[in-house]
Amino acid sequence: TRANTLLSLDQRWESETLLDSRKKLTKMMINALTEAGKIPAGTMGSVTIVEADEKEIYAEKLARMKAASEDDYFDILSLCGFFETVGYVVRSGYIPEDDIIKLLGDSLSAIERAVKPHILCLLREEGTDPRLYEYLLWLIQLNKERKRRDAEALQSLERYTI
């Protein structure tokens, strides 16, 4: 059922393995921005700054991690695998799009910022399956469109506020 599927996805998202991968993603983001001189060394917590070159900084950091075959790289990509599965489940109609966007939309936005540029680089590499993370990329686009529509609706409501 829908509820069981959502609960199962939530349990997997909150599992120790994916929680560790999420921590590694945040650590990678902080390290990449620190190495690029965008934030001071020792910065802790979530990364909230947004700059034009931020996505390229993350893509370059992930490429270096991949080249060095760092374990953290593969752990970070496990998040993509999770969202690939989620995207497939949603696109196949097992779960309504809105349920996933409401439940995991903010996390998808983080994946978009930090990992999507790297995935696009991987897709340009010779021999890469063009369907690599196709459901994740579809889900990211869906989330982006939903956020845009929500922002437009909010703006529209603000015009009528006294």
Side-chain angles (χ1 to χ4, degrees), residues 12-45:
R12 184 168 169 213
W13 182 245
E14 296 298 334
S15 71
E16 189 173 324
T17 301
L18 286 183
L19 183 58
D20 187 50
S21 295
R22 289 164 34 205
K23 289 176 183 175
K24 289 176 181 178
L25 175 64
T26 300
K27 178 182 169 190
M28 180 280 300
M29 293 170 76
I30 291 168
N31 288 343
L33 293 173
T34 302
E35 290 167 9
K38 300 295 181 182
I39 60 174
T43 300
M44 300 296 288

Side-chain angles (χ1 to χ4, degrees), residues 89-148:
V89 168
V90 172
R91 202 164 187 186
S92 297
Y94 293 108
I95 301 174
E97 297 171 354
D98 280 353
D99 286 354
I100 289 300
I101 299 304
K102 288 175 185 171
L103 186 65
L104 297 169
D106 289 341
S107 298
L108 269 168
S109 294
I111 295 293
E112 177 184 8
R113 282 175 54 209
V115 185
K116 181 184 173 187
H118 178 67
I119 292 170
L120 296 178
C121 288
L122 293 175
L123 286 168
R124 289 190 291 272
E125 291 179 2
E126 189 171 326
T128 300
D129 185 336
R131 297 169 298 171
L132 177 72
Y133 296 124
E134 76 175 290
Y135 296 105
L136 164 62
L137 295 172
W138 172 79
L139 201 55
I140 285 172
Q141 186 60 35
L142 183 72
N143 186 49
K144 197 172 181 176
E145 290 169 9
R146 170 68 185 266
K147 284 186 178 266
R148 181 190 48 77

Side-chain angles (χ1 to χ4, degrees), residues 75-87:
D75 289 341
I76 290 168
L77 285 190
S78 72
L79 297 171
C80 297
F82 169 78
F83 280 113
E84 180 72 0
T85 301
V86 171

